[in-house]
Amino acid sequence: MAACSLTLSSSLPQPKPSFFGSKPSHLSLHSTSFALKSQCFRVSSSSVSISSRPTDDLVASLLSKVIQTDGGVSLTTKQHQEVAQVANELNKYCVDEPVKCPLIFGVVFPDWDVVYCSNPTSPGGGYRSALGRLFFKTKDMVQAVEAPDSVRNKVSFSVFGFLNGEVSLKGKLKVLDHQWIQVIFEPPELRVGEMDFRYGGESEVKLQITYIDEKIRLGKGSRGSLFVFQRRHGGSTNV
């Protein structure tokens, strides 16, 4: 949706997380109205009203394919292709300038669950690799996007099934064009139990927003990885 290091196992290399993108400006919040073929959004600072939703079935189908798949890890090649096909259909309904859509932020609910990536090791980097998953069981992958340009990513996990930990990044968002954004992240922070470390240096991701509504956001990394974000409505994650 990257100086101290922590050695958890002599055989486990230090993970280098790549967060919600493919490579380690302020958005306008004024009232916006736009039309998407037969789908029409009306966005204001206080409400979102929606009429004629041809995308509802597509969104439901996409979520049914990616929820509870460990971010896509458990899917077969054919199932990944099916996810891509539905995402491509949704792309046809994307607004002309998604980077200007206030729905990116969400006034009340700024947090997005990272429910899928076509490259399952991309969110979280080494923590999500085949080796990393032997030691780190992922609990949550969350991205919080707050106006005007704040992005906070967090991957929380348990180590060996009993010790809780998380790795988080804070970054600044910059608009590159009508679809692409860039985020420059500070060095990652790793917390395991009572221990807290920062390691590595700054990192950067670029993401193309290919669809957005009040429920989901689709993005494509600079190397082609597909991301599915689902808005979290259960309160703050404190990332």
Side-chain angles (χ1 to χ4, degrees), residues 17-66:
S18 173
F19 277 76
F20 316 158
S22 298
K23 180 182 179 183
S25 159
H26 300 265
L27 301 191
S28 173
L29 293 178
H30 63 271
S31 297
T32 307
S33 61
F34 44 84
L36 296 80
K37 298 185 174 69
S38 58
Q39 178 183 24
C40 179
F41 284 74
R42 189 93 185 159
V43 181
S44 70
S45 59
S46 60
S47 65
V48 179
S49 60
I50 302 170
S51 62
S52 184
R53 294 293 302 266
T55 59
D56 284 349
D57 289 343
L58 291 172
V59 169
S61 175
L62 182 64
L63 290 176
S64 71
K65 296 178 185 299
V66 300

CSV table of all heavy atoms in Angstrom, one decimal, residues 17-66:
chain,number,residue,atom,x,y,z
A,17,PRO,N,12.3,-3.8,4.4
A,17,PRO,CA,10.9,-3.6,4.0
A,17,PRO,C,10.8,-2.7,2.8
A,17,PRO,O,11.4,-1.6,2.8
A,17,PRO,CB,10.2,-3.1,5.3
A,17,PRO,CG,11.3,-2.4,6.0
A,17,PRO,CD,12.6,-3.2,5.7
A,18,SER,N,9.9,-3.1,1.9
A,18,SER,CA,9.5,-2.2,0.8
A,18,SER,C,8.0,-2.1,1.0
A,18,SER,O,7.3,-3.0,0.8
A,18,SER,CB,9.8,-2.9,-0.6
A,18,SER,OG,9.3,-2.1,-1.6
A,19,PHE,N,7.6,-0.9,1.3
A,19,PHE,CA,6.2,-0.7,1.8
A,19,PHE,C,5.3,-0.2,0.7
A,19,PHE,O,5.4,0.9,0.2
A,19,PHE,CB,6.2,0.3,3.0
A,19,PHE,CG,6.5,-0.3,4.3
A,19,PHE,CD1,7.8,-0.6,4.6
A,19,PHE,CD2,5.5,-0.6,5.2
A,19,PHE,CE1,8.1,-1.2,5.8
A,19,PHE,CE2,5.8,-1.2,6.4
A,19,PHE,CZ,7.1,-1.5,6.7
A,20,PHE,N,4.4,-1.1,0.3
A,20,PHE,CA,3.2,-0.7,-0.5
A,20,PHE,C,3.6,0.1,-1.7
A,20,PHE,O,3.0,1.0,-2.1
A,20,PHE,CB,2.2,0.2,0.4
A,20,PHE,CG,2.0,-0.4,1.8
A,20,PHE,CD1,1.6,0.5,2.7
A,20,PHE,CD2,2.2,-1.7,2.1
A,20,PHE,CE1,1.3,0.0,4.0
A,20,PHE,CE2,2.0,-2.2,3.3
A,20,PHE,CZ,1.6,-1.3,4.3
A,21,GLY,N,4.6,-0.4,-2.4
A,21,GLY,CA,5.0,0.2,-3.7
A,21,GLY,C,6.1,-0.7,-4.3
A,21,GLY,O,6.3,-1.8,-3.8
A,22,SER,N,6.8,-0.3,-5.3
A,22,SER,CA,7.7,-1.2,-6.0
A,22,SER,C,9.1,-0.7,-5.9
A,22,SER,O,10.0,-1.5,-6.2
A,22,SER,CB,7.3,-1.2,-7.5
A,22,SER,OG,6.1,-1.8,-7.7
A,23,LYS,N,9.4,0.5,-5.4
A,23,LYS,CA,10.8,1.0,-5.3
A,23,LYS,C,10.9,1.7,-4.0
A,23,LYS,O,10.2,2.7,-3.7
A,23,LYS,CB,11.1,1.9,-6.5
A,23,LYS,CG,12.5,2.5,-6.5
A,23,LYS,CD,12.7,3.5,-7.6
A,23,LYS,CE,14.1,4.1,-7.6
A,23,LYS,NZ,14.3,5.1,-8.6
A,24,PRO,N,12.2,0.7,-3.2
A,24,PRO,CA,12.6,1.4,-2.0
A,24,PRO,C,13.1,2.8,-2.3
A,24,PRO,O,14.0,2.9,-3.0
A,24,PRO,CB,13.5,0.4,-1.3
A,24,PRO,CG,13.5,-0.8,-2.0
A,24,PRO,CD,12.7,-0.6,-3.3
A,25,SER,N,3.2,17.8,-2.8
A,25,SER,CA,2.2,18.5,-3.4
A,25,SER,C,0.9,18.4,-2.6
A,25,SER,O,0.5,17.3,-2.1
A,25,SER,CB,2.0,18.1,-4.8
A,25,SER,OG,1.0,18.2,-5.5
A,26,HIS,N,0.7,18.7,-2.4
A,26,HIS,CA,-0.5,18.7,-1.6
A,26,HIS,C,-1.7,18.4,-2.5
A,26,HIS,O,-1.9,19.0,-3.6
A,26,HIS,CB,-0.7,20.1,-0.9
A,26,HIS,CG,0.4,20.4,0.0
A,26,HIS,ND1,0.4,20.1,1.3
A,26,HIS,CD2,1.6,20.9,-0.3
A,26,HIS,CE1,1.5,20.5,1.9
A,26,HIS,NE2,2.3,21.0,0.9
A,27,LEU,N,-2.7,17.6,-2.0
A,27,LEU,CA,-3.9,17.3,-2.7
A,27,LEU,C,-5.0,18.3,-2.3
A,27,LEU,O,-5.1,18.6,-1.1
A,27,LEU,CB,-4.3,15.9,-2.4
A,27,LEU,CG,-3.3,14.8,-2.8
A,27,LEU,CD1,-4.0,13.4,-2.7
A,27,LEU,CD2,-2.7,15.0,-4.1
A,28,SER,N,-5.8,18.6,-3.2
A,28,SER,CA,-6.9,19.6,-3.0
A,28,SER,C,-8.0,18.9,-2.2
A,28,SER,O,-8.4,17.8,-2.6
A,28,SER,CB,-7.4,20.2,-4.3
A,28,SER,OG,-8.5,21.0,-4.0
A,29,LEU,N,-8.5,19.5,-1.2
A,29,LEU,CA,-9.7,19.0,-0.5
A,29,LEU,C,-10.9,19.7,-0.7
A,29,LEU,O,-11.9,19.6,0.0
A,29,LEU,CB,-9.4,19.0,1.0
A,29,LEU,CG,-8.2,18.1,1.5
A,29,LEU,CD1,-8.0,18.3,3.0
A,29,LEU,CD2,-8.5,16.7,1.2
A,30,HIS,N,-10.9,20.6,-1.7
A,30,HIS,CA,-12.1,21.4,-2.0
A,30,HIS,C,-13.2,20.5,-2.6
A,30,HIS,O,-12.9,19.4,-3.1
A,30,HIS,CB,-11.8,22.6,-3.0
A,30,HIS,CG,-11.3,22.1,-4.3
A,30,HIS,ND1,-10.0,21.8,-4.6
A,30,HIS,CD2,-12.0,21.8,-5.5
A,30,HIS,CE1,-9.9,21.4,-5.8
A,30,HIS,NE2,-11.1,21.4,-6.4
A,31,SER,N,-14.4,21.0,-2.5
A,31,SER,CA,-15.6,20.2,-3.0
A,31,SER,C,-15.4,19.8,-4.5
A,31,SER,O,-15.0,20.7,-5.3
A,31,SER,CB,-16.9,20.9,-2.8
A,31,SER,OG,-17.1,21.1,-1.5
A,32,THR,N,-15.6,18.6,-4.9
A,32,THR,CA,-15.4,18.1,-6.2
A,32,THR,C,-16.6,17.3,-6.7
A,32,THR,O,-17.2,16.6,-6.0
A,32,THR,CB,-14.1,17.2,-6.2
A,32,THR,OG1,-13.1,17.9,-5.6
A,32,THR,CG2,-13.7,16.8,-7.6
A,33,SER,N,-16.9,17.5,-8.0
A,33,SER,CA,-17.9,16.7,-8.6
A,33,SER,C,-17.4,16.1,-9.9
A,33,SER,O,-16.7,16.8,-10.6
A,33,SER,CB,-19.2,17.5,-8.8
A,33,SER,OG,-19.0,18.5,-9.7
A,34,PHE,N,-17.8,14.9,-10.2
A,34,PHE,CA,-17.3,14.3,-11.4
A,34,PHE,C,-18.2,13.2,-11.8
A,34,PHE,O,-19.0,12.7,-11.0
A,34,PHE,CB,-15.9,13.8,-11.3
A,34,PHE,CG,-15.6,13.1,-10.0
A,34,PHE,CD1,-15.9,11.7,-9.9
A,34,PHE,CD2,-15.1,13.8,-8.9
A,34,PHE,CE1,-15.7,11.1,-8.8
A,34,PHE,CE2,-14.8,13.1,-7.8
A,34,PHE,CZ,-15.1,11.7,-7.7
A,35,ALA,N,-18.2,12.8,-13.1
A,35,ALA,CA,-19.0,11.7,-13.6
A,35,ALA,C,-18.1,10.5,-14.1
A,35,ALA,O,-17.1,10.8,-14.7
A,35,ALA,CB,-19.9,12.2,-14.7
A,36,LEU,N,-18.5,9.3,-13.8
A,36,LEU,CA,-17.8,8.1,-14.3
A,36,LEU,C,-18.8,7.3,-15.1
A,36,LEU,O,-19.5,6.5,-14.6
A,36,LEU,CB,-17.3,7.3,-13.1
A,36,LEU,CG,-16.3,7.9,-12.1
A,36,LEU,CD1,-17.0,8.8,-11.1
A,36,LEU,CD2,-15.7,6.7,-11.4
A,37,LYS,N,-18.8,7.6,-16.4
A,37,LYS,CA,-19.7,6.9,-17.3
A,37,LYS,C,-21.1,7.0,-16.7
A,37,LYS,O,-21.7,8.0,-16.4
A,37,LYS,CB,-19.2,5.5,-17.6
A,37,LYS,CG,-17.9,5.5,-18.3
A,37,LYS,CD,-17.5,4.1,-18.6
A,37,LYS,CE,-16.3,4.0,-19.5
A,37,LYS,NZ,-15.1,4.4,-18.8
A,38,SER,N,-21.7,5.8,-16.3
A,38,SER,CA,-23.0,5.8,-15.7
A,38,SER,C,-23.0,5.9,-14.2
A,38,SER,O,-24.0,6.0,-13.5
A,38,SER,CB,-23.8,4.6,-16.1
A,38,SER,OG,-23.1,3.4,-15.7
A,39,GLN,N,-21.7,6.0,-13.6
A,39,GLN,CA,-21.6,6.1,-12.2
A,39,GLN,C,-21.3,7.5,-11.8
A,39,GLN,O,-20.4,8.2,-12.4
A,39,GLN,CB,-20.4,5.2,-11.7
A,39,GLN,CG,-20.1,5.3,-10.3
A,39,GLN,CD,-18.9,4.4,-9.9
A,39,GLN,OE1,-18.1,4.2,-10.7
A,39,GLN,NE2,-18.8,4.1,-8.6
A,40,CYS,N,-22.0,8.1,-10.9
A,40,CYS,CA,-21.8,9.5,-10.5
A,40,CYS,C,-21.5,9.6,-9.1
A,40,CYS,O,-22.3,9.1,-8.2
A,40,CYS,CB,-23.1,10.3,-10.9
A,40,CYS,SG,-22.9,12.0,-10.5
A,41,PHE,N,-20.4,10.3,-8.7
A,41,PHE,CA,-20.1,10.7,-7.4
A,41,PHE,C,-20.3,12.1,-7.2
A,41,PHE,O,-20.1,12.9,-8.0
A,41,PHE,CB,-18.6,10.4,-7.1
A,41,PHE,CG,-18.2,9.0,-6.9
A,41,PHE,CD1,-18.2,8.1,-8.0
A,41,PHE,CD2,-17.9,8.4,-5.7
A,41,PHE,CE1,-17.8,6.8,-7.9
A,41,PHE,CE2,-17.6,7.1,-5.6
A,41,PHE,CZ,-17.5,6.3,-6.6
A,42,ARG,N,-20.7,12.5,-6.0
A,42,ARG,CA,-20.8,13.9,-5.6
A,42,ARG,C,-20.1,14.0,-4.2
A,42,ARG,O,-20.5,13.4,-3.2
A,42,ARG,CB,-22.3,14.3,-5.4
A,42,ARG,CG,-22.4,15.8,-5.2
A,42,ARG,CD,-22.7,16.5,-6.5
A,42,ARG,NE,-22.7,17.9,-6.4
A,42,ARG,CZ,-22.5,18.7,-7.4
A,42,ARG,NH1,-22.2,18.2,-8.6
A,42,ARG,NH2,-22.6,20.0,-7.3
A,43,VAL,N,-18.9,14.7,-4.2
A,43,VAL,CA,-18.1,14.7,-3.1
A,43,VAL,C,-18.1,16.1,-2.5
A,43,VAL,O,-17.9,17.1,-3.2
A,43,VAL,CB,-16.6,14.3,-3.4
A,43,VAL,CG1,-15.8,14.3,-2.2
A,43,VAL,CG2,-16.6,12.9,-4.1
A,44,SER,N,-18.3,16.2,-1.2
A,44,SER,CA,-18.1,17.4,-0.5
A,44,SER,C,-17.3,17.2,0.8
A,44,SER,O,-16.9,16.0,1.1
A,44,SER,CB,-19.5,18.0,-0.1
A,44,SER,OG,-20.1,17.2,0.9
A,45,SER,N,-17.0,18.3,1.5
A,45,SER,CA,-16.2,18.1,2.7
A,45,SER,C,-17.0,17.3,3.8
A,45,SER,O,-16.4,16.9,4.7
A,45,SER,CB,-15.8,19.5,3.3
A,45,SER,OG,-17.0,20.2,3.6
A,46,SER,N,-18.3,17.2,3.7
A,46,SER,CA,-19.0,16.5,4.8
A,46,SER,C,-19.7,15.3,4.4
A,46,SER,O,-20.1,14.5,5.3
A,46,SER,CB,-20.1,17.5,5.3
A,46,SER,OG,-21.0,17.9,4.3
A,47,SER,N,-19.9,15.0,3.1
A,47,SER,CA,-20.7,13.8,2.7
A,47,SER,C,-20.3,13.3,1.3
A,47,SER,O,-19.7,14.0,0.5
A,47,SER,CB,-22.2,14.1,2.8
A,47,SER,OG,-22.5,15.1,1.8
A,48,VAL,N,-20.6,12.1,1.1
A,48,VAL,CA,-20.5,11.5,-0.2
A,48,VAL,C,-21.8,10.8,-0.6
A,48,VAL,O,-22.2,9.9,0.1
A,48,VAL,CB,-19.3,10.4,-0.2
A,48,VAL,CG1,-19.2,9.8,-1.6
A,48,VAL,CG2,-18.0,11.0,0.2
A,49,SER,N,-22.4,11.3,-1.7
A,49,SER,CA,-23.6,10.6,-2.2
A,49,SER,C,-23.4,9.9,-3.5
A,49,SER,O,-22.6,10.5,-4.3
A,49,SER,CB,-24.7,11.7,-2.3
A,49,SER,OG,-24.3,12.7,-3.3
A,50,ILE,N,-23.9,8.8,-3.6
A,50,ILE,CA,-23.6,7.9,-4.8
A,50,ILE,C,-24.9,7.5,-5.4
A,50,ILE,O,-25.8,7.0,-4.7
A,50,ILE,CB,-22.8,6.7,-4.4
A,50,ILE,CG1,-21.5,7.2,-3.7
A,50,ILE,CG2,-22.4,5.9,-5.5
A,50,ILE,CD1,-20.7,6.1,-3.0
A,51,SER,N,-25.0,7.5,-6.8
A,51,SER,CA,-26.1,7.0,-7.5
A,51,SER,C,-25.7,6.2,-8.6
A,51,SER,O,-24.6,6.5,-9.2
A,51,SER,CB,-27.0,8.2,-8.0
A,51,SER,OG,-26.3,9.0,-8.9
A,52,SER,N,-26.4,5.2,-9.0
A,52,SER,CA,-26.2,4.3,-10.1
A,52,SER,C,-24.8,3.7,-10.0
A,52,SER,O,-23.8,4.3,-10.5
A,52,SER,CB,-26.3,5.1,-11.4
A,52,SER,OG,-26.1,4.3,-12.6
A,53,ARG,N,-24.7,2.6,-9.4
A,53,ARG,CA,-23.4,2.0,-9.1
A,53,ARG,C,-23.1,0.7,-9.9
A,53,ARG,O,-23.3,-0.4,-9.4
A,53,ARG,CB,-23.3,1.7,-7.6
A,53,ARG,CG,-23.3,2.9,-6.7
A,53,ARG,CD,-22.0,3.8,-6.9
A,53,ARG,NE,-20.9,2.9,-6.6
A,53,ARG,CZ,-20.3,2.9,-5.5
A,53,ARG,NH1,-20.7,3.7,-4.5
A,53,ARG,NH2,-19.2,2.2,-5.3
A,54,PRO,N,-22.7,0.8,-11.1
A,54,PRO,CA,-22.4,-0.4,-11.9
A,54,PRO,C,-21.1,-1.1,-11.3
A,54,PRO,O,-20.9,-2.3,-11.7
A,54,PRO,CB,-22.1,0.1,-13.3
A,54,PRO,CG,-21.7,1.5,-13.1
A,54,PRO,CD,-22.4,2.0,-11.9
A,55,THR,N,-20.4,-0.4,-10.5
A,55,THR,CA,-19.2,-1.0,-9.9
A,55,THR,C,-19.4,-1.9,-8.7
A,55,THR,O,-18.5,-2.6,-8.2
A,55,THR,CB,-18.1,0.1,-9.6
A,55,THR,OG1,-18.7,1.0,-8.6
A,55,THR,CG2,-17.7,0.8,-10.8
A,56,ASP,N,-20.6,-1.8,-8.1
A,56,ASP,CA,-20.8,-2.5,-6.8
A,56,ASP,C,-20.5,-4.0,-6.9
A,56,ASP,O,-19.8,-4.6,-6.1
A,56,ASP,CB,-22.3,-2.3,-6.4
A,56,ASP,CG,-22.5,-1.0,-5.8
A,56,ASP,OD1,-21.5,-0.3,-5.5
A,56,ASP,OD2,-23.7,-0.6,-5.6
A,57,ASP,N,-21.0,-4.7,-8.0
A,57,ASP,CA,-20.7,-6.1,-8.2
A,57,ASP,C,-19.2,-6.4,-8.4
A,57,ASP,O,-18.7,-7.4,-7.9
A,57,ASP,CB,-21.5,-6.6,-9.3
A,57,ASP,CG,-23.0,-6.7,-9.0
A,57,ASP,OD1,-23.4,-6.6,-7.8
A,57,ASP,OD2,-23.8,-6.8,-10.0
A,58,LEU,N,-18.6,-5.5,-9.1
A,58,LEU,CA,-17.1,-5.7,-9.3
A,58,LEU,C,-16.3,-5.6,-8.1
A,58,LEU,O,-15.4,-6.4,-7.8
A,58,LEU,CB,-16.6,-4.7,-10.4
A,58,LEU,CG,-17.1,-4.8,-11.8
A,58,LEU,CD1,-16.7,-3.6,-12.7
A,58,LEU,CD2,-16.5,-6.1,-12.4
A,59,VAL,N,-16.7,-4.6,-7.2
A,59,VAL,CA,-16.0,-4.4,-6.0
A,59,VAL,C,-16.2,-5.6,-5.1
A,59,VAL,O,-15.3,-6.1,-4.4
A,59,VAL,CB,-16.4,-3.1,-5.3
A,59,VAL,CG1,-15.9,-3.0,-3.8
A,59,VAL,CG2,-16.0,-1.9,-6.0
A,60,ALA,N,-17.5,-6.1,-5.0
A,60,ALA,CA,-17.8,-7.2,-4.2
A,60,ALA,C,-17.0,-8.5,-4.7
A,60,ALA,O,-16.5,-9.3,-3.9
A,60,ALA,CB,-19.3,-7.5,-4.2
A,61,SER,N,-17.0,-8.6,-6.0
A,61,SER,CA,-16.3,-9.8,-6.5
A,61,SER,C,-14.8,-9.7,-6.2
A,61,SER,O,-14.2,-10.7,-5.8
A,61,SER,CB,-16.5,-9.8,-8.1
A,61,SER,OG,-15.7,-10.8,-8.7
A,62,LEU,N,-14.2,-8.5,-6.4
A,62,LEU,CA,-12.8,-8.4,-6.1
A,62,LEU,C,-12.4,-8.7,-4.6
A,62,LEU,O,-11.5,-9.4,-4.3
A,62,LEU,CB,-12.3,-7.0,-6.4
A,62,LEU,CG,-10.8,-6.6,-6.3
A,62,LEU,CD1,-10.0,-7.5,-7.2
A,62,LEU,CD2,-10.6,-5.2,-6.5
A,63,LEU,N,-13.2,-8.1,-3.7
A,63,LEU,CA,-13.0,-8.3,-2.3
A,63,LEU,C,-13.1,-9.8,-1.9
A,63,LEU,O,-12.4,-10.4,-1.1
A,63,LEU,CB,-13.9,-7.5,-1.5
A,63,LEU,CG,-13.6,-6.0,-1.5
A,63,LEU,CD1,-14.6,-5.2,-0.7
A,63,LEU,CD2,-12.2,-5.7,-1.0
A,64,SER,N,-14.1,-10.5,-2.5
A,64,SER,CA,-14.3,-11.9,-2.2
A,64,SER,C,-13.1,-12.8,-2.7
A,64,SER,O,-12.9,-13.8,-2.1
A,64,SER,CB,-15.6,-12.4,-2.9
A,64,SER,OG,-15.4,-12.5,-4.3
A,65,LYS,N,-12.4,-12.3,-3.6
A,65,LYS,CA,-11.2,-13.0,-4.2
A,65,LYS,C,-9.9,-12.8,-3.3
A,65,LYS,O,-9.0,-13.6,-3.4
A,65,LYS,CB,-11.0,-12.7,-5.6
A,65,LYS,CG,-12.1,-13.1,-6.6
A,65,LYS,CD,-11.8,-12.6,-8.0
A,65,LYS,CE,-12.9,-12.9,-8.9
A,65,LYS,NZ,-13.3,-14.3,-9.0
A,66,VAL,N,-9.9,-11.7,-2.6
A,66,VAL,CA,-8.6,-11.3,-2.0
A,66,VAL,C,-8.7,-11.3,-0.4
A,66,VAL,O,-7.6,-11.4,0.2
A,66,VAL,CB,-8.1,-9.9,-2.4
A,66,VAL,CG1,-7.9,-9.9,-3.9
A,66,VAL,CG2,-9.1,-8.8,-2.0
